[in-house]
Amino acid sequence: MTNRNLIESYYRLHRDELLAFVSSRLGAGRHFLAEDMVQEVFLRLLGNERLVVSQETLPSLAFTMAANRVADHYRHLYYQRLHADCMRASAQADYSIEPAVYAHETIARIERRLSRLPQPCAEVYRLHLYGGMKVSEISRRLGQDYKAVEYRLGQARREVRQLLSASV
């Protein structure tokens, strides 16, 4: 008996049994979905030419494929709901431009204050603030003494601190 004949015979004899199995896992009111899943299981069995089945292994294979199809369905529902929740949350999020404008204005004020400082102090502060560099890194990059860089950074920080405390 060929694979195709074996699967067709099994389908005629055990389709309702497999349908009851899938229906019990999907719950009431999902009969049409269960029928679609059972049909898909048998179509996959018939469509796989390399599959070697016997009368002993076919029931286990069919039930395993059906259980996997049900798990895939619930996994799909989970991710569908997760996506919908994310979309709802992003739609409700407040995308205000005010924080960006405030940050831009603050940076502009800091730059104006830095323009009043001696060039070496402003340069050290910019490397620290925008470049995220440490005093030792700035010292190496500029070829300046560590203590001199530390002093210039402290001087620039005092100026910026005064600016920010005055604006609060």
Side-chain angles (χ1 to χ4, degrees):
M1 182 180 260
T2 66
N3 275 355
R4 184 175 188 85
N5 292 342
L6 185 62
I7 293 168
E8 287 174 358
S9 172
Y10 184 82
Y11 178 78
R12 276 188 240 99
L13 294 173
H14 300 284
R15 177 193 170 276
D16 292 336
E17 187 180 321
L18 196 59
L19 184 61
F21 171 78
V22 172
S23 293
S24 71
R25 275 146 183 79
L26 291 176
R30 312 290 296 222
H31 184 72
F32 293 114
L33 179 60
E35 284 181 349
D36 288 346
M37 286 184 181
V38 169
Q39 183 178 14
E40 186 179 318
V41 165
F42 283 106
L43 285 174
R44 285 187 180 185
L45 284 169
L46 288 170
N48 194 340
E49 297 294 325
R50 296 179 299 174
L51 192 64
V52 178
V53 293
S54 66
Q55 271 187 313
E56 292 80 29
T57 61
L58 185 57
S60 298
L61 182 60
F63 276 90
T64 300
M65 288 176 75
N68 288 340
R69 184 64 191 101
V70 170
D72 289 346
H73 170 72
Y74 282 119
R75 188 177 307 112
H76 175 75
L77 285 179
Y78 170 77
Y79 284 109
Q80 197 174 32
R81 287 183 185 137
L82 188 65
H83 177 71
D85 290 345
C86 288
M87 294 302 290
R88 234 184 333 277
S90 69
Q92 295 171 352
D94 180 23
Y95 293 109
S96 175
I97 195 165
E98 289 176 15
V101 170
Y102 177 75
H104 182 69
E105 288 175 355
T106 303
I107 289 171
R109 288 177 37 223
I110 289 172
E111 284 299 321
R112 280 193 300 273
R113 179 59 69 109
L114 289 177
S115 68
R116 296 183 201 160
L117 288 173
Q119 180 58 30
C121 290
E123 185 179 15
V124 166
Y125 190 77
R126 284 186 185 103
L127 287 173
H128 177 71
L129 181 66
Y130 302 131
M133 298 174 79
K134 297 178 183 175
V135 174
S136 59
E137 295 168 331
I138 297 170
S139 173
R140 268 185 261 122
R141 181 167 179 180
L142 298 178
Q144 297 177 1
D145 182 56
Y146 180 88
K147 284 293 184 182
V149 171
E150 191 175 49
Y151 174 76
R152 290 181 181 129
L153 182 59
Q155 195 177 12
R157 281 180 173 164
R158 276 190 296 281
E159 286 291 321
V160 171
R161 201 176 308 119
Q162 282 178 352
L163 168 76
L164 295 177
S165 66
S167 65
V168 175

